[in-house]
Amino acid sequence: MHHHRKPDPFLHQERVWYPYVGLHDPCPPIRAKTYVVPPNQFLGFQPPCLPRFSSREALKHGTLWPILVSPYRKKSETEDVP
């Protein structure tokens, strides 16, 4: 039996959506769009003893807890899925 594990939502935050492309749409089709689901959406409550960043690292990342890091990437740094 072959089991498929779901990707870790804390590590794999980017998702792909394939919008409907109509035959008579006057605009060039966008076949795939990407979006980010931030990790806080998967953390129902704050577990005790979460690892913490130092104060300097927390300011750099915008959060005290490494599990909640969601890096922002400019659109020019990402490639849309063909």
mmCIF file of all heavy atoms in Angstrom, residues 20-29:
data_model
loop_
_atom_site.group_PDB
_atom_site.id
_atom_site.type_symbol
_atom_site.label_atom_id
_atom_site.label_comp_id
_atom_site.label_asym_id
_atom_site.label_seq_id
_atom_site.Cartn_x
_atom_site.Cartn_y
_atom_site.Cartn_z
ATOM 1 N N TYR A 20 -10.525 29.267 -14.026
ATOM 2 C CA TYR A 20 -11.247 28.892 -15.244
ATOM 3 C C TYR A 20 -10.829 29.822 -16.381
ATOM 4 O O TYR A 20 -10.722 31.035 -16.203
ATOM 5 C CB TYR A 20 -12.759 28.995 -15.004
ATOM 6 C CG TYR A 20 -13.569 28.772 -16.244
ATOM 7 C CD1 TYR A 20 -13.757 27.488 -16.740
ATOM 8 C CD2 TYR A 20 -14.125 29.839 -16.931
ATOM 9 C CE1 TYR A 20 -14.497 27.275 -17.896
ATOM 10 C CE2 TYR A 20 -14.864 29.646 -18.087
ATOM 11 C CZ TYR A 20 -15.047 28.355 -18.558
ATOM 12 O OH TYR A 20 -15.765 28.145 -19.702
ATOM 13 N N VAL A 21 -10.575 29.245 -17.533
ATOM 14 C CA VAL A 21 -10.241 30.029 -18.724
ATOM 15 C C VAL A 21 -11.385 29.860 -19.714
ATOM 16 O O VAL A 21 -11.626 28.760 -20.226
ATOM 17 C CB VAL A 21 -8.909 29.550 -19.357
ATOM 18 C CG1 VAL A 21 -8.619 30.307 -20.642
ATOM 19 C CG2 VAL A 21 -7.762 29.719 -18.362
ATOM 20 N N GLY A 22 -12.134 30.937 -19.957
ATOM 21 C CA GLY A 22 -13.274 30.890 -20.864
ATOM 22 C C GLY A 22 -12.847 31.012 -22.321
ATOM 23 O O GLY A 22 -11.835 31.630 -22.643
ATOM 24 N N LEU A 23 -13.614 30.443 -23.205
ATOM 25 C CA LEU A 23 -13.320 30.494 -24.634
ATOM 26 C C LEU A 23 -13.374 31.912 -25.187
ATOM 27 O O LEU A 23 -12.631 32.267 -26.087
ATOM 28 C CB LEU A 23 -14.314 29.626 -25.403
ATOM 29 C CG LEU A 23 -14.103 28.121 -25.325
ATOM 30 C CD1 LEU A 23 -15.244 27.396 -26.024
ATOM 31 C CD2 LEU A 23 -12.779 27.761 -25.967
ATOM 32 N N HIS A 24 -14.266 32.724 -24.667
ATOM 33 C CA HIS A 24 -14.478 34.069 -25.216
ATOM 34 C C HIS A 24 -13.982 35.172 -24.285
ATOM 35 O O HIS A 24 -14.419 36.309 -24.390
ATOM 36 C CB HIS A 24 -15.964 34.266 -25.538
ATOM 37 C CG HIS A 24 -16.486 33.212 -26.457
ATOM 38 N ND1 HIS A 24 -16.111 33.115 -27.779
ATOM 39 C CD2 HIS A 24 -17.320 32.169 -26.229
ATOM 40 C CE1 HIS A 24 -16.710 32.077 -28.335
ATOM 41 N NE2 HIS A 24 -17.444 31.490 -27.409
ATOM 42 N N ASP A 25 -13.076 34.844 -23.390
ATOM 43 C CA ASP A 25 -12.517 35.841 -22.482
ATOM 44 C C ASP A 25 -11.660 36.809 -23.302
ATOM 45 O O ASP A 25 -10.772 36.381 -24.038
ATOM 46 C CB ASP A 25 -11.663 35.148 -21.428
ATOM 47 C CG ASP A 25 -11.284 36.062 -20.281
ATOM 48 O OD1 ASP A 25 -11.343 37.295 -20.461
ATOM 49 O OD2 ASP A 25 -10.941 35.548 -19.219
ATOM 50 N N PRO A 26 -11.911 38.110 -23.201
ATOM 51 C CA PRO A 26 -11.159 39.070 -24.016
ATOM 52 C C PRO A 26 -9.722 39.296 -23.532
ATOM 53 O O PRO A 26 -8.902 39.837 -24.265
ATOM 54 C CB PRO A 26 -11.972 40.355 -23.881
ATOM 55 C CG PRO A 26 -12.647 40.227 -22.567
ATOM 56 C CD PRO A 26 -12.942 38.759 -22.402
ATOM 57 N N CYS A 27 -9.408 38.862 -22.335
ATOM 58 C CA CYS A 27 -8.066 39.070 -21.780
ATOM 59 C C CYS A 27 -7.211 37.816 -21.968
ATOM 60 O O CYS A 27 -7.735 36.713 -22.007
ATOM 61 C CB CYS A 27 -8.158 39.392 -20.294
ATOM 62 S SG CYS A 27 -9.141 40.851 -19.958
ATOM 63 N N PRO A 28 -5.903 37.975 -22.039
ATOM 64 C CA PRO A 28 -5.042 36.797 -22.099
ATOM 65 C C PRO A 28 -5.244 35.954 -20.841
ATOM 66 O O PRO A 28 -5.338 36.505 -19.735
ATOM 67 C CB PRO A 28 -3.625 37.371 -22.138
ATOM 68 C CG PRO A 28 -3.776 38.804 -22.519
ATOM 69 C CD PRO A 28 -5.147 39.216 -22.097
ATOM 70 N N PRO A 29 -5.325 34.644 -20.977
ATOM 71 C CA PRO A 29 -5.614 33.809 -19.806
ATOM 72 C C PRO A 29 -4.435 33.742 -18.831
ATOM 73 O O PRO A 29 -3.284 33.769 -19.233
ATOM 74 C CB PRO A 29 -5.878 32.437 -20.412
ATOM 75 C CG PRO A 29 -5.171 32.442 -21.712
ATOM 76 C CD PRO A 29 -5.198 33.864 -22.200
#
